[in-house]
Amino acid sequence: MKIGILTSGGDCPGLNSTIRGVCKIAMNHYDMEVYGIYNGFRGLLDDDITRLTDESTTGLLTMGGTILGTSREKLFRKRSSSINDHKSAAMLKTIEKHELDCLVCIGGTGTQKTAFDLMEAGIKVVTIPKTIDNDVWGTDMSFGFDSAVSIASDAIDRLHSTASAHQRVMVIEVMGHKTGWLALYSGMAGGGDIILLPEIPFNIHSIGDTIINRLKKGKPYSIVVVAEGIATPEGKKAAQYIAEEIEYETGFETRETVLGYIQRGGSPTAYDRNIATLMGGHAVELISSGDFGKMVALRDGRIVSVPLAEVKDKLREVTSDHDLIVQGKKMGICFG
C-alpha cells in the first residue's frame, strides 16, 4: 500500500514524533510505502510530495515542529460545507498520480472537518488529533497538549517569584480561542489564584474582591491565568483587559504577560512522544485492516478510534463540573 501523510493547521510539539510513528511501523512492519505531503492540504493542490524513507524519519522523536511543514489552506466555500470543486479535482489528480491508497491527516478541529469532507469525496482517510488546545472532540487528550501545559506551567512558576518580589498582580495569557483546557491545567499546575476560561462567565468585581481578600489574609501578590478567548469588550486582548480592570478595581499594580507562540515550540514531553507514537502506530493498524474514515483517539487510557462523522462538527469544551474546577474552588481558587 501507498500512504500519503500530511500535517495541517498550527504546529505543536509531537508532530514529528507522530510522523515517525506512522512511517516506522508502516515501513518496517507492513512493508508499506509512505509519501510525505508538504504544507498540509496545499501540498495536494501543488503536487508537492516526496517519498519518505526509514533514514529520512530518523531523529524525529524529539524534534519540534514538522518536517512536512503546515498551512491553513481553506478548502471550503464560504457559504457551503463542500470543498471547492476546482480544489477537489486538483487534490484527486495528485492522489491518483502518485497512486496513494489513503491519506493520514494530522491536525486539529479544522483538519478533522476537512478530512471528513475528503472522505465524502471518495478519498480514504485516517486522522490523528493534534492540538495544544485539547479541544478535538472524541479524544480525552491530543498530543501537543501536555507539552504546552508544561511550558505554560513553567512560565507561571517563574512569575510567582517576580510577583512576590514586587508585590504585584501578574496576569498571564495562554492560548485557547474557544476552550480553556490549557488555562485550566497550567493554571492549576502553576498555582494560579484566579483562572479564567472562555466556557465560564466571569465578574470583574468578584476578581477584584478575590485579590483584596488575599491581601487581607497576608498574601500581597496574586497570579491570574487567562485563556486568550475569554470575552472582552472592544476587541481588547485578554491579558490587557483583565490587567487594566484589576488595577481599576483594586488600585494594585498589575502587569500582563502574553506567552504567545512559545507554547507551540520546542521538543515534546515524554508523554507526548509516547502517545504520538501510539497514535501513529494505531493509524497504520486501521489502514492495514481497511478501517477508514476514523480518527485515532485516547479514551480511558486506551488508544482507540472514533468515526470522523461523530467528530467533525463538535468541540471538546471544559465543563464547570470538571474535577480540577471542583477541587480548585474548594481550595479557594476563583474561576470568575
Side-chain angles (χ1 to χ4, degrees), residues 165-184:
H166 293 274
Q167 297 187 359
R168 291 173 175 165
V169 178
M170 301 296 290
V171 180
I172 180 168
E173 179 184 308
V174 300
M175 286 185 169
H177 284 293
K178 296 181 179 179
T179 62
W181 292 105
L182 184 53
L184 175 61

Side-chain angles (χ1 to χ4, degrees), residues 1-224:
M1 294 186 71
K2 294 183 178 180
I3 301 173
I5 182 171
L6 60 84
T7 54
S8 181
D11 69 300
C12 77
L15 280 168
N16 281 324
S17 304
T18 310
I19 294 169
R20 172 183 177 272
V22 171
C23 290
K24 295 284 188 182
I25 293 173
M27 296 173 189
N28 297 328
H29 187 71
Y30 288 103
D31 198 29
M32 296 175 177
E33 295 179 11
V34 184
Y35 290 78
I37 301 166
Y38 290 105
N39 302 315
F41 294 104
R42 187 188 300 165
L44 287 174
L45 297 173
D46 299 337
D47 190 16
D48 194 2
I49 295 178
T50 189
R51 183 172 177 178
L52 299 177
T53 64
D54 192 63
E55 183 179 0
S56 66
T57 56
T58 298
L60 295 186
L61 182 63
T62 62
M63 187 186 299
T66 165
I67 60 167
L68 296 178
T70 185
S71 68
R72 298 183 185 273
E73 182 68 31
K74 301 298 183 182
L75 301 178
F76 299 92
R77 295 192 181 98
K78 292 183 178 179
R79 298 184 180 181
S80 171
S81 61
S82 62
I83 290 180
N84 179 285
D85 292 338
H86 173 72
K87 291 183 177 181
S88 179
M91 288 188 291
L92 287 169
K93 183 178 179 180
T94 301
I95 290 169
E96 291 171 358
K97 174 184 175 181
H98 294 276
E99 299 179 332
L100 300 180
D101 295 297
C102 65
L103 296 179
V104 175
C105 304
I106 307 171
T109 54
T111 300
Q112 307 306 320
K113 293 177 182 178
T114 301
F116 175 80
D117 210 68
L118 289 174
M119 182 185 77
E120 291 287 280
I123 299 171
K124 295 176 180 177
V125 298
V126 169
T127 70
I128 302 174
K130 169 268 338 170
T131 171
I132 67 168
D133 291 340
N134 206 37
D135 59 354
V136 177
W137 188 92
T139 183
D140 293 341
M141 193 168 291
S142 306
F143 74 82
F145 177 64
D146 186 72
S147 299
V149 168
S150 178
I151 293 166
S153 299
D154 181 68
I156 296 168
D157 288 346
R158 294 173 186 275
L159 285 176
H160 271 277
S161 58
T162 295
S164 176
H166 293 274
Q167 297 187 359
R168 291 173 175 165
V169 178
M170 301 296 290
V171 180
I172 180 168
E173 179 184 308
V174 300
M175 286 185 169
H177 284 293
K178 296 181 179 179
T179 62
W181 292 105
L182 184 53
L184 175 61
Y185 273 69
S186 64
M188 289 296 291
D193 304 301
I194 297 166
I195 302 172
L196 304 180
L197 319 176
E199 297 93 333
I200 300 177
F202 64 88
N203 185 312
I204 199 65
H205 303 300
S206 297
I207 294 171
D209 289 344
T210 298
I211 292 170
I212 291 171
N213 288 333
R214 283 177 52 78
L215 179 63
K216 291 178 179 179
K217 294 177 181 179
K219 300 175 180 179
Y221 77 93
S222 295
I223 299 292
V224 184

